[in-house]
Amino acid sequence: MHEQGWLIYSKEDAARNMSYIYWMIEEAGQMDMKLSLLFREDFSLGHLSSKLELFHQKKSVLLPSFAIVRTIDPFFTRQLELIGVRCFNSAFVSDLCNNKAKTHQFMAQLGIPMADTIYGNRDHFRREDVLLQYPYIAKEVSGRGGKQVYLIENEKEEHELQGSPGKWILQKPAVYGKDVRVFIVGRKIIAAVLRESETDFKANYTLGGSASLYELSAEQKSLVEKIINVVDFGMAGVDFVFSEEGSFLLNEIEDVVGSRTLSALTDINIVREYLLHIKEELGDQVY
């Protein structure tokens, strides 16, 4: 029998990623997995008579065996898990990776090398939290794609950010304009991509940076494995910047990771890798 799965996006994100969505649904069909696109906005969740409930378009819905959650909403993902739906990525991964402060706090316990970081303690940027010398990097903890990331080189730039909403982390800068994204599925390293920018301290491909395949050294692979052997990822992007000495520093982990750079540079079918991983995780259960 077909394994029934939900592919969950926000409507806005789905509109920008339809080719990727069709790719996932088509690949799933070839693997005897039925994948249906549903929108987060169409779900309601809560509890009735002390029993957790989930509604789709205001109606009860037959639950799938798994869900690929491609929107950032750890609370929603946790509700799915609590009512028996296996989620990729999990609520734990979504919560951990979509808050930069939580990512760094967790990884520091593992001894993962990272830039020196101060966690802000208010819901806005404030001067009192700054314990670093100029220059430093200010990042809103839930920012994605290089957004809400600022290089602060003087008091004027700091003042301009004063009162900006959100929780912030402040970091000692690494080497500017250069990072490596390691694509992982489960506990497998799929490939690594070097992203560089000659015009910005951020190297994001979507912000105009260039990209090329990157061969990890044995030491770098060992560092990645130290992370992925502790956290139960489905598919993610583990991003590293470089110290002045050239070693890796963990920068962040993308939960809802895109694969434009990987698809542009290789013929690796990461969607198929992801679905194979999900199928393996589900085991021999039949729905």
Side-chain angles (χ1 to χ4, degrees):
M1 295 178 65
H2 283 295
E3 286 163 331
Q4 306 280 340
W6 288 346
L7 177 60
I8 301 172
Y9 272 85
S10 69
K11 291 179 180 178
E12 182 182 351
D13 287 343
R16 291 198 304 265
N17 292 281
M18 286 311 299
S19 60
Y20 191 82
I21 289 167
Y22 290 141
W23 182 17
M24 292 198 84
I25 292 172
E26 183 180 348
E27 288 288 344
Q30 293 175 10
M31 298 169 61
D32 206 27
M33 303 168 78
K34 182 175 172 55
L35 199 56
S36 302
L37 174 64
L38 285 82
F39 300 119
R40 169 63 184 95
E41 293 91 337
D42 290 337
F43 285 100
S44 303
L45 52 152
H47 59 84
L48 304 179
S49 301
S50 298
K51 182 177 181 290
L52 292 174
E53 298 285 355
L54 184 77
F55 301 95
H56 182 253
Q57 296 179 339
K58 301 182 180 180
K59 297 177 182 177
S60 296
V61 60
L62 185 64
L63 295 176
S65 55
F66 71 98
I68 299 174
V69 185
R70 298 284 294 176
T71 189
I72 298 167
D73 192 341
F75 187 80
F76 169 71
T77 303
R78 183 62 178 149
Q79 183 93 352
L80 285 177
E81 291 174 343
L82 289 169
I83 61 177
V85 179
R86 183 74 182 273
C87 293
F88 302 88
N89 285 324
S90 68
F92 173 77
V93 168
S94 180
D95 184 59
L96 178 71
C97 298
N98 291 297
N99 183 310
K100 292 177 174 64
K102 288 184 179 181
T103 302
H104 285 277
Q105 184 185 59
F106 183 89
M107 294 299 165
Q109 299 174 90
L110 303 179
I112 302 299
M114 296 175 286
D116 291 344
T117 300
I118 301 297
Y119 314 137
N121 62 358
R122 292 291 186 274
D123 288 324
H124 58 274
F125 179 88
R126 63 178 204 158
R127 177 69 186 89
E128 296 93 306
D129 290 332
V130 180
L131 303 180
L132 300 173
Q133 300 295 317
Y134 300 125
Y136 65 89
I137 307 290
K139 299 179 180 180
E140 203 278 314
V141 297
S142 60
R144 298 185 70 238
K147 297 174 182 175
Q148 290 84 51
V149 177
Y150 304 92
L151 175 63
I152 307 298
E153 297 185 286
N154 52 55
E155 189 175 346
K156 177 178 179 293
E157 292 175 344
E158 194 172 76
H159 181 73
E160 289 172 354
L161 206 57
Q162 189 84 16
S164 295
K167 290 187 181 296
W168 296 79
I169 62 170
L170 313 173
Q171 291 186 319
K172 183 178 177 181
V175 172
Y176 294 156
K178 182 179 177 183
D179 70 14
V180 171
R181 168 162 290 176
V182 183
F183 292 89
I184 61 104
V185 171
R187 291 192 162 92
K188 180 180 179 183
I189 297 172
I190 302 300
V193 169
L194 174 67
R195 305 181 299 183
E196 297 179 279
S197 174
E198 295 182 1
T199 58
D200 198 330
F201 73 96
K202 295 172 286 188
N204 302 66
Y205 187 62
T206 53
L207 297 180
S210 62
S212 57
L213 277 180
Y214 183 85
E215 187 173 346
L216 297 170
S217 69
E219 183 181 0
Q220 290 166 343
K221 282 182 182 177
S222 178
L223 178 58
V224 176
E225 287 164 355
K226 188 173 181 180
I227 295 169
I228 64 181
N229 286 336
V230 172
V231 181
D232 189 13
F233 292 108
M235 180 171 71
V238 185
D239 294 351
F240 295 91
V241 289
F242 292 90
S243 71
E244 291 183 1
E245 295 74 35
S247 60
F248 267 6
L249 299 173
L250 178 67
N251 189 40
E252 60 185 7
I253 303 175
E254 286 282 354
D255 160 32
V256 185
V257 66
S259 60
R260 288 182 181 86
T261 51
L262 194 63
S263 296
L265 295 170
T266 75
D267 58 1
I268 294 171
N269 189 336
I270 196 168
V271 166
R272 186 167 183 81
E273 292 277 356
Y274 192 18
L275 292 168
L276 284 169
H277 168 73
I278 291 171
K279 202 171 179 70
E280 185 177 310
E281 288 291 300
L282 295 173
D284 296 327
Q285 301 172 75
V286 177
Y287 299 84

PDB file of all heavy atoms in Angstrom, residues 8 15 18 30 40 56 58 91 131 138 148 179 187 205 252 260 264 268-269 274 281 285:
ATOM      1  N   ILE A   8       3.746  20.060   3.879  1.00  0.00           N
ATOM      2  CA  ILE A   8       3.115  21.239   4.452  1.00  0.00           C
ATOM      3  C   ILE A   8       3.964  22.491   4.229  1.00  0.00           C
ATOM      4  O   ILE A   8       5.138  22.545   4.617  1.00  0.00           O
ATOM      5  CB  ILE A   8       2.850  21.033   5.958  1.00  0.00           C
ATOM      6  CG1 ILE A   8       1.943  19.814   6.162  1.00  0.00           C
ATOM      7  CG2 ILE A   8       2.217  22.284   6.569  1.00  0.00           C
ATOM      8  CD1 ILE A   8       1.780  19.400   7.605  1.00  0.00           C
ATOM      9  N   ALA A  15       3.939  29.348  -3.078  1.00  0.00           N
ATOM     10  CA  ALA A  15       3.873  30.086  -4.346  1.00  0.00           C
ATOM     11  C   ALA A  15       5.262  30.314  -4.926  1.00  0.00           C
ATOM     12  O   ALA A  15       5.441  30.344  -6.152  1.00  0.00           O
ATOM     13  CB  ALA A  15       3.167  31.425  -4.130  1.00  0.00           C
ATOM     14  N   MET A  18       6.970  26.250  -6.169  1.00  0.00           N
ATOM     15  CA  MET A  18       6.125  25.236  -6.803  1.00  0.00           C
ATOM     16  C   MET A  18       6.924  24.193  -7.581  1.00  0.00           C
ATOM     17  O   MET A  18       6.576  23.009  -7.587  1.00  0.00           O
ATOM     18  CB  MET A  18       5.092  25.888  -7.714  1.00  0.00           C
ATOM     19  CG  MET A  18       3.940  26.574  -6.975  1.00  0.00           C
ATOM     20  SD  MET A  18       3.144  25.573  -5.663  1.00  0.00           S
ATOM     21  CE  MET A  18       2.535  24.180  -6.595  1.00  0.00           C
ATOM     22  N   GLN A  30       7.115   7.954  -7.509  1.00  0.00           N
ATOM     23  CA  GLN A  30       7.966   6.911  -8.073  1.00  0.00           C
ATOM     24  C   GLN A  30       8.437   5.918  -7.016  1.00  0.00           C
ATOM     25  O   GLN A  30       8.911   4.836  -7.346  1.00  0.00           O
ATOM     26  CB  GLN A  30       9.177   7.554  -8.763  1.00  0.00           C
ATOM     27  CG  GLN A  30       8.818   8.367  -9.999  1.00  0.00           C
ATOM     28  CD  GLN A  30      10.015   9.097 -10.585  1.00  0.00           C
ATOM     29  OE1 GLN A  30      11.159   8.863 -10.193  1.00  0.00           O
ATOM     30  NE2 GLN A  30       9.757   9.992 -11.535  1.00  0.00           N
ATOM     31  N   ARG A  40      -0.365  25.358   5.763  1.00  0.00           N
ATOM     32  CA  ARG A  40      -0.425  25.541   7.218  1.00  0.00           C
ATOM     33  C   ARG A  40      -1.628  26.389   7.618  1.00  0.00           C
ATOM     34  O   ARG A  40      -2.266  26.136   8.651  1.00  0.00           O
ATOM     35  CB  ARG A  40       0.886  26.201   7.701  1.00  0.00           C
ATOM     36  CG  ARG A  40       0.851  26.691   9.142  1.00  0.00           C
ATOM     37  CD  ARG A  40       0.648  25.563  10.129  1.00  0.00           C
ATOM     38  NE  ARG A  40       0.524  26.044  11.506  1.00  0.00           N
ATOM     39  CZ  ARG A  40      -0.626  26.282  12.110  1.00  0.00           C
ATOM     40  NH1 ARG A  40      -1.774  26.119  11.457  1.00  0.00           N
ATOM     41  NH2 ARG A  40      -0.662  26.688  13.369  1.00  0.00           N
ATOM     42  N   HIS A  56      -8.542  20.310   9.482  1.00  0.00           N
ATOM     43  CA  HIS A  56      -8.109  20.865   8.203  1.00  0.00           C
ATOM     44  C   HIS A  56      -9.323  21.453   7.517  1.00  0.00           C
ATOM     45  O   HIS A  56     -10.319  20.758   7.301  1.00  0.00           O
ATOM     46  CB  HIS A  56      -7.485  19.780   7.317  1.00  0.00           C
ATOM     47  CG  HIS A  56      -6.986  20.303   6.016  1.00  0.00           C
ATOM     48  ND1 HIS A  56      -7.614  20.056   4.817  1.00  0.00           N
ATOM     49  CD2 HIS A  56      -5.915  21.104   5.717  1.00  0.00           C
ATOM     50  CE1 HIS A  56      -6.959  20.645   3.838  1.00  0.00           C
ATOM     51  NE2 HIS A  56      -5.927  21.284   4.361  1.00  0.00           N
ATOM     52  N   LYS A  58     -11.444  23.327   8.830  1.00  0.00           N
ATOM     53  CA  LYS A  58     -12.495  23.258   9.850  1.00  0.00           C
ATOM     54  C   LYS A  58     -13.164  21.886   9.964  1.00  0.00           C
ATOM     55  O   LYS A  58     -14.228  21.757  10.575  1.00  0.00           O
ATOM     56  CB  LYS A  58     -13.553  24.343   9.611  1.00  0.00           C
ATOM     57  CG  LYS A  58     -12.987  25.760   9.623  1.00  0.00           C
ATOM     58  CD  LYS A  58     -14.071  26.801   9.425  1.00  0.00           C
ATOM     59  CE  LYS A  58     -13.465  28.207   9.453  1.00  0.00           C
ATOM     60  NZ  LYS A  58     -14.483  29.265   9.257  1.00  0.00           N
ATOM     61  N   ALA A  91       9.802  18.542  15.537  1.00  0.00           N
ATOM     62  CA  ALA A  91       9.568  19.788  16.272  1.00  0.00           C
ATOM     63  C   ALA A  91      10.829  20.221  17.016  1.00  0.00           C
ATOM     64  O   ALA A  91      11.138  21.410  17.099  1.00  0.00           O
ATOM     65  CB  ALA A  91       8.409  19.608  17.240  1.00  0.00           C
ATOM     66  N   LEU A 131      28.608  43.298  24.748  1.00  0.00           N
ATOM     67  CA  LEU A 131      29.818  43.068  25.547  1.00  0.00           C
ATOM     68  C   LEU A 131      31.029  42.825  24.650  1.00  0.00           C
ATOM     69  O   LEU A 131      32.068  42.377  25.120  1.00  0.00           O
ATOM     70  CB  LEU A 131      29.610  41.854  26.462  1.00  0.00           C
ATOM     71  CG  LEU A 131      28.411  41.911  27.411  1.00  0.00           C
ATOM     72  CD1 LEU A 131      28.343  40.642  28.254  1.00  0.00           C
ATOM     73  CD2 LEU A 131      28.486  43.131  28.312  1.00  0.00           C
ATOM     74  N   ALA A 138      25.520  41.580  14.545  1.00  0.00           N
ATOM     75  CA  ALA A 138      24.252  41.476  15.261  1.00  0.00           C
ATOM     76  C   ALA A 138      23.278  40.677  14.395  1.00  0.00           C
ATOM     77  O   ALA A 138      23.090  40.995  13.221  1.00  0.00           O
ATOM     78  CB  ALA A 138      23.680  42.864  15.548  1.00  0.00           C
ATOM     79  N   GLN A 148      18.173  40.287   8.506  1.00  0.00           N
ATOM     80  CA  GLN A 148      18.298  40.664   9.917  1.00  0.00           C
ATOM     81  C   GLN A 148      19.684  40.303  10.467  1.00  0.00           C
ATOM     82  O   GLN A 148      19.824  39.859  11.610  1.00  0.00           O
ATOM     83  CB  GLN A 148      17.204  40.029  10.786  1.00  0.00           C
ATOM     84  CG  GLN A 148      15.814  40.590  10.563  1.00  0.00           C
ATOM     85  CD  GLN A 148      15.115  39.934   9.383  1.00  0.00           C
ATOM     86  OE1 GLN A 148      15.055  38.715   9.289  1.00  0.00           O
ATOM     87  NE2 GLN A 148      14.568  40.742   8.493  1.00  0.00           N
ATOM     88  N   ASP A 179      31.472  31.292   3.293  1.00  0.00           N
ATOM     89  CA  ASP A 179      30.998  30.240   4.181  1.00  0.00           C
ATOM     90  C   ASP A 179      30.794  28.944   3.421  1.00  0.00           C
ATOM     91  O   ASP A 179      30.865  28.913   2.180  1.00  0.00           O
ATOM     92  CB  ASP A 179      29.731  30.661   4.944  1.00  0.00           C
ATOM     93  CG  ASP A 179      28.483  30.769   4.074  1.00  0.00           C
ATOM     94  OD1 ASP A 179      28.479  30.286   2.929  1.00  0.00           O
ATOM     95  OD2 ASP A 179      27.483  31.328   4.551  1.00  0.00           O
ATOM     96  N   ARG A 187      21.887  10.980   8.921  1.00  0.00           N
ATOM     97  CA  ARG A 187      23.269  11.077   9.407  1.00  0.00           C
ATOM     98  C   ARG A 187      24.271  10.925   8.266  1.00  0.00           C
ATOM     99  O   ARG A 187      25.390  10.470   8.457  1.00  0.00           O
ATOM    100  CB  ARG A 187      23.494  10.029  10.514  1.00  0.00           C
ATOM    101  CG  ARG A 187      22.714  10.358  11.763  1.00  0.00           C
ATOM    102  CD  ARG A 187      23.108   9.538  12.977  1.00  0.00           C
ATOM    103  NE  ARG A 187      22.631  10.209  14.178  1.00  0.00           N
ATOM    104  CZ  ARG A 187      21.446   9.968  14.747  1.00  0.00           C
ATOM    105  NH1 ARG A 187      20.642   9.052  14.216  1.00  0.00           N
ATOM    106  NH2 ARG A 187      21.068  10.630  15.827  1.00  0.00           N
ATOM    107  N   TYR A 205      23.929  32.715  -1.318  1.00  0.00           N
ATOM    108  CA  TYR A 205      23.737  32.585  -2.761  1.00  0.00           C
ATOM    109  C   TYR A 205      22.554  33.434  -3.225  1.00  0.00           C
ATOM    110  O   TYR A 205      22.604  34.088  -4.268  1.00  0.00           O
ATOM    111  CB  TYR A 205      23.500  31.110  -3.093  1.00  0.00           C
ATOM    112  CG  TYR A 205      23.441  30.776  -4.564  1.00  0.00           C
ATOM    113  CD1 TYR A 205      24.531  30.986  -5.400  1.00  0.00           C
ATOM    114  CD2 TYR A 205      22.292  30.217  -5.116  1.00  0.00           C
ATOM    115  CE1 TYR A 205      24.489  30.649  -6.752  1.00  0.00           C
ATOM    116  CE2 TYR A 205      22.236  29.873  -6.459  1.00  0.00           C
ATOM    117  CZ  TYR A 205      23.333  30.094  -7.270  1.00  0.00           C
ATOM    118  OH  TYR A 205      23.277  29.763  -8.600  1.00  0.00           O
ATOM    119  N   GLU A 252      25.260  28.490  11.625  1.00  0.00           N
ATOM    120  CA  GLU A 252      23.855  28.220  11.891  1.00  0.00           C
ATOM    121  C   GLU A 252      23.456  26.924  11.194  1.00  0.00           C
ATOM    122  O   GLU A 252      24.235  26.350  10.421  1.00  0.00           O
ATOM    123  CB  GLU A 252      22.959  29.368  11.409  1.00  0.00           C
ATOM    124  CG  GLU A 252      23.038  29.654   9.921  1.00  0.00           C
ATOM    125  CD  GLU A 252      22.221  30.877   9.518  1.00  0.00           C
ATOM    126  OE1 GLU A 252      21.707  31.575  10.414  1.00  0.00           O
ATOM    127  OE2 GLU A 252      22.091  31.126   8.314  1.00  0.00           O
ATOM    128  N   ARG A 260      18.918  25.068  -4.096  1.00  0.00           N
ATOM    129  CA  ARG A 260      19.196  25.705  -5.396  1.00  0.00           C
ATOM    130  C   ARG A 260      20.670  25.591  -5.770  1.00  0.00           C
ATOM    131  O   ARG A 260      21.006  25.271  -6.906  1.00  0.00           O
ATOM    132  CB  ARG A 260      18.782  27.178  -5.354  1.00  0.00           C
ATOM    133  CG  ARG A 260      17.282  27.402  -5.342  1.00  0.00           C
ATOM    134  CD  ARG A 260      16.954  28.901  -5.360  1.00  0.00           C
ATOM    135  NE  ARG A 260      15.525  29.130  -5.327  1.00  0.00           N
ATOM    136  CZ  ARG A 260      14.800  29.197  -4.207  1.00  0.00           C
ATOM    137  NH1 ARG A 260      15.415  29.052  -3.038  1.00  0.00           N
ATOM    138  NH2 ARG A 260      13.510  29.413  -4.238  1.00  0.00           N
ATOM    139  N   ALA A 264      22.180  23.537  -8.901  1.00  0.00           N
ATOM    140  CA  ALA A 264      22.892  24.290  -9.938  1.00  0.00           C
ATOM    141  C   ALA A 264      24.277  23.715 -10.199  1.00  0.00           C
ATOM    142  O   ALA A 264      24.795  23.807 -11.319  1.00  0.00           O
ATOM    143  CB  ALA A 264      23.001  25.760  -9.535  1.00  0.00           C
ATOM    144  N   ILE A 268      23.065  15.768  -8.178  1.00  0.00           N
ATOM    145  CA  ILE A 268      22.620  15.045  -6.981  1.00  0.00           C
ATOM    146  C   ILE A 268      21.127  15.273  -6.780  1.00  0.00           C
ATOM    147  O   ILE A 268      20.652  16.415  -6.794  1.00  0.00           O
ATOM    148  CB  ILE A 268      23.396  15.514  -5.728  1.00  0.00           C
ATOM    149  CG1 ILE A 268      24.873  15.128  -5.835  1.00  0.00           C
ATOM    150  CG2 ILE A 268      22.783  14.922  -4.455  1.00  0.00           C
ATOM    151  CD1 ILE A 268      25.744  15.738  -4.736  1.00  0.00           C
ATOM    152  N   ASN A 269      20.388  14.196  -6.606  1.00  0.00           N
ATOM    153  CA  ASN A 269      18.947  14.286  -6.377  1.00  0.00           C
ATOM    154  C   ASN A 269      18.692  14.223  -4.867  1.00  0.00           C
ATOM    155  O   ASN A 269      18.404  13.162  -4.318  1.00  0.00           O
ATOM    156  CB  ASN A 269      18.231  13.142  -7.103  1.00  0.00           C
ATOM    157  CG  ASN A 269      16.716  13.297  -7.082  1.00  0.00           C
ATOM    158  OD1 ASN A 269      16.154  13.958  -6.205  1.00  0.00           O
ATOM    159  ND2 ASN A 269      16.044  12.684  -8.041  1.00  0.00           N
ATOM    160  N   TYR A 274      16.278  12.353   0.457  1.00  0.00           N
ATOM    161  CA  TYR A 274      15.438  12.680   1.608  1.00  0.00           C
ATOM    162  C   TYR A 274      14.271  11.694   1.729  1.00  0.00           C
ATOM    163  O   TYR A 274      13.989  11.161   2.810  1.00  0.00           O
ATOM    164  CB  TYR A 274      14.928  14.108   1.457  1.00  0.00           C
ATOM    165  CG  TYR A 274      14.286  14.714   2.677  1.00  0.00           C
ATOM    166  CD1 TYR A 274      14.474  14.196   3.953  1.00  0.00           C
ATOM    167  CD2 TYR A 274      13.488  15.858   2.558  1.00  0.00           C
ATOM    168  CE1 TYR A 274      13.891  14.783   5.073  1.00  0.00           C
ATOM    169  CE2 TYR A 274      12.909  16.453   3.667  1.00  0.00           C
ATOM    170  CZ  TYR A 274      13.113  15.904   4.917  1.00  0.00           C
ATOM    171  OH  TYR A 274      12.531  16.491   6.019  1.00  0.00           O
ATOM    172  N   GLU A 281      13.136   5.406   7.662  1.00  0.00           N
ATOM    173  CA  GLU A 281      12.744   5.723   9.032  1.00  0.00           C
ATOM    174  C   GLU A 281      11.374   5.160   9.382  1.00  0.00           C
ATOM    175  O   GLU A 281      11.120   4.760  10.527  1.00  0.00           O
ATOM    176  CB  GLU A 281      12.752   7.242   9.243  1.00  0.00           C
ATOM    177  CG  GLU A 281      14.133   7.853   9.307  1.00  0.00           C
ATOM    178  CD  GLU A 281      14.882   7.447  10.571  1.00  0.00           C
ATOM    179  OE1 GLU A 281      14.378   7.752  11.661  1.00  0.00           O
ATOM    180  OE2 GLU A 281      15.949   6.826  10.449  1.00  0.00           O
ATOM    181  N   GLN A 285       6.112  -0.233   8.547  1.00  0.00           N
ATOM    182  CA  GLN A 285       4.728   0.074   8.882  1.00  0.00           C
ATOM    183  C   GLN A 285       3.908   0.255   7.603  1.00  0.00           C
ATOM    184  O   GLN A 285       4.358   0.844   6.627  1.00  0.00           O
ATOM    185  CB  GLN A 285       4.669   1.380   9.686  1.00  0.00           C
ATOM    186  CG  GLN A 285       5.474   1.307  10.980  1.00  0.00           C
ATOM    187  CD  GLN A 285       5.547   2.664  11.651  1.00  0.00           C
ATOM    188  OE1 GLN A 285       4.577   3.098  12.239  1.00  0.00           O
ATOM    189  NE2 GLN A 285       6.677   3.325  11.541  1.00  0.00           N
TER     190      GLN A 285
END
